Amino acid sequence: MVYRRTHQVVKRLAARRSAILAAARETAAEGGMAAVQIAPVAVRANVAAGTVYRYFPSKADLISELIAEVSRDELTAIRRAADAAPGPSSALAAAVSTVAVHVLSQRKLAWGILAEPVDVDVTASRVASRREIAGEIAARIDAAVRAGHLPAQDTQLAATALLGALHEALVGPLAPENLEDAGKLRDTVQAVTLLALRAVGVMDARARGLVVQAVLPVKSLVGA
């Protein structure tokens, strides 16, 4: 007789997997991706190290899934913010500002997801996550172009360039420091959003208006 997992068993297994990923995420947010090791993650998730290996056969698998999960959450937030905007240009502004908010909300985690050196190969997961987010930004630029709000352009190239600029400006080696102040955080998000809108061809006066209208969840930035 073939054994079939009951709903409760499936639910319990999914909860345990989520707990392991949550522990890995908290570890990376505090100590960077280098701190994500099987043993400490197991302790934090209140499971045995062997249990972690049942869900993630290697550290590479664990970190790759962590990258994918964080990126999925970011992509969901970007789409939610853009879809709630009243028009294509506002949607682009909302998408860009949401990327900035997510990067600034946990800079150490963001750097770990993007480029922090790790001793396992997670290139595929990193590339896939960037491609999905760049694709979403490209779709918003394309919608604004089709609506006549932006000049014709290579939307995928523009989106990739914008995403690279945001990451370099906010979590790269030259990123500003001392962003604990909520007001400074808001100013920084608005500044990079304005830069992005200008780069794709939004006229300055309209760009400033779109940035001011963008909803910025600053509470999430300061952990309130």
Side-chain angles (χ1 to χ4, degrees), residues 33-159:
M33 205 60 78
V36 180
Q37 304 291 336
I38 298 297
V41 166
V43 171
R44 191 161 203 155
N46 197 30
V47 298
T51 300
V52 177
Y53 282 114
R54 286 197 204 105
Y55 291 87
F56 306 98
S58 69
K59 187 171 77 169
D61 291 315
L62 175 60
I63 293 178
S64 292
E65 183 54 32
L66 171 61
I67 291 170
E69 181 185 66
V70 172
S71 298
R72 282 194 298 269
D73 289 347
E74 182 176 0
L75 187 60
T76 298
I78 292 168
R79 286 174 174 163
R80 184 184 300 118
D83 288 344
S89 294
S90 297
L92 176 58
V96 171
S97 63
T98 301
V99 172
V101 166
H102 271 252
V103 168
L104 287 174
S105 63
Q106 290 186 307
R107 296 172 77 185
K108 190 168 289 188
L109 176 61
W111 177 245
I113 297 296
L114 290 168
E116 181 188 346
V118 291
D119 59 359
V120 293
D121 186 7
V122 293
T123 303
S125 186
R126 280 175 165 167
V127 171
S129 68
R130 291 188 197 185
R131 183 176 289 118
E132 287 186 343
I133 293 173
E136 182 65 23
I137 299 297
R140 302 301 173 173
I141 297 173
D142 184 62
V145 170
R146 286 187 282 105
H149 297 173
L150 294 178
Q153 57 194 285
D154 184 331
T155 56
Q156 189 62 52
L157 180 61

